Amino acid sequence: MNKNKPSVPRRMPERPGEGFAVTSTRHNVVNVDGVTGVSLTADFSSAPVPDRRYVADVASVVRVDDIVQLIFGQQKVGTDDLRSLVVIHMSCSAIRNFLDNSETINTAMRLIKTKFSLSSRKLIDIKHEPTQTVALAASIIMASVSGREACLDFYYSSPYVAVQVAQGGKFMVDPTARIMLPVNLLLSILEKLDEIKADLPTDAVMKADLPTDEVTL
């Protein structure tokens, strides 16, 4: 046996339960720090729609260290009290990746804002959680807009999958939740995310190009 022969890293197996495979193309890239990473182009047209559905009439965006919380809520009828909340936890890198690939949706939002003379809906400050609060993790957002209505589909792809993709494996995603919301509320969320974009890290090892925004004016 040649002890000096370099060992070949064992490819990580595809694990049941990681989600659904979506069509993707890998590109090796060299990051600004000289580290080789993976750039991924993915087609989400065949990705299943999340089973969890939630309609939101208020929202908030909160950054906590390296996590951005996208918070969606329902208000009780006739009051400002909250009936329920859905908190989506996303890494700063995932948020930046979404913003870097959201040119289509941003252009559409500007056109819709002018067409319907819309103003942004004020994001709320949440001081206390209602009893019905659930927190979920996501790493990918698909945004869709039609007239005055908007929809956000959230998916999660685990760090295990990131390593698997880097080794030539499939890109797997797990549907997390679908959030239905007014288009002016989405506008406020995008404006808030754009405000904090400059402070978000750019050190993602795997970046994804997700040209999947859907728009109807």
Side-chain angles (χ1 to χ4, degrees), residues 113 118-123 183-185 187-189 191:
K113 184 177 181 179
L118 290 178
S119 58
S120 304
R121 183 177 295 195
K122 184 178 180 181
L123 299 179
V183 72
N184 59 347
L185 187 56
L187 178 62
S188 299
I189 293 170
E191 288 175 346

Side-chain angles (χ1 to χ4, degrees), residues 130-142:
T131 302
Q132 297 185 49
T133 298
V134 61
L136 303 168
S139 54
I140 298 164
I141 306 174
M142 290 182 63

Side-chain angles (χ1 to χ4, degrees), residues 17-37:
E18 284 289 353
F20 299 84
V22 297
T23 303
S24 60
T25 304
R26 299 168 63 255
H27 311 278
N28 292 326
V29 296
V30 179
N31 297 325
V32 292
D33 57 3
V35 177
T36 301

Side-chain angles (χ1 to χ4, degrees), residues 1-215:
M1 176 181 289
N2 184 0
K3 295 183 178 181
N4 295 323
K5 184 178 180 179
S7 60
V8 178
R10 182 174 63 90
R11 176 172 167 177
M12 297 182 72
E14 296 169 3
R15 301 171 63 192
E18 284 289 353
F20 299 84
V22 297
T23 303
S24 60
T25 304
R26 299 168 63 255
H27 311 278
N28 292 326
V29 296
V30 179
N31 297 325
V32 292
D33 57 3
V35 177
T36 301
V38 175
S39 175
L40 193 72
T41 300
D43 178 8
F44 269 63
S45 60
S46 61
V49 174
D51 289 331
R52 297 185 184 94
R53 312 289 175 89
Y54 186 81
V55 57
D57 46 46
V58 294
S60 183
V61 176
V62 178
R63 180 178 177 182
V64 182
D65 296 327
D66 286 335
I67 295 295
V68 175
Q69 297 176 350
L70 302 181
I71 306 173
F72 303 93
Q74 295 177 356
Q75 289 181 320
K76 293 181 179 179
V77 176
T79 74
D80 291 333
D81 296 334
L82 292 173
R83 178 189 299 124
S84 61
L85 286 177
V86 173
V87 185
I88 307 292
H89 290 245
M90 299 189 68
S91 70
C92 289
S93 297
I95 290 293
R96 173 172 279 279
N97 194 57
F98 167 67
L99 293 174
D100 287 344
N101 290 282
S102 60
E103 180 180 350
T104 301
I105 205 73
N106 284 329
T107 300
M109 295 300 289
R110 289 192 293 269
L111 294 174
I112 290 173
K113 184 177 181 179
T114 301
K115 180 178 180 179
F116 296 112
S117 299
L118 290 178
S119 58
S120 304
R121 183 177 295 195
K122 184 178 180 181
L123 299 179
I124 64 173
D125 292 325
I126 300 173
K127 303 299 183 183
H128 303 284
E129 289 186 358
T131 302
Q132 297 185 49
T133 298
V134 61
L136 303 168
S139 54
I140 298 164
I141 306 174
M142 290 182 63
S144 181
V145 172
S146 178
R148 296 176 182 267
E149 298 180 357
C151 175
L152 296 174
D153 285 351
F154 291 91
Y155 295 84
Y156 179 73
S157 186
S158 74
Y160 188 98
V161 170
V163 175
Q164 178 177 294
V165 170
Q167 296 178 350
K170 295 179 180 178
F171 182 46
M172 311 290 290
V173 297
D174 187 22
T176 300
R178 165 171 284 188
I179 306 294
M180 293 85 77
L181 68 167
V183 72
N184 59 347
L185 187 56
L186 175 57
L187 178 62
S188 299
I189 293 170
L190 293 175
E191 288 175 346
K192 180 62 177 179
L193 292 177
D194 194 57
E195 287 179 11
I196 67 174
K197 180 179 179 180
D199 294 328
L200 298 178
T202 59
D203 56 353
V205 175
M206 182 178 73
K207 297 184 178 181
D209 178 21
L210 307 172
T212 52
D213 299 333
E214 297 180 4
V215 177

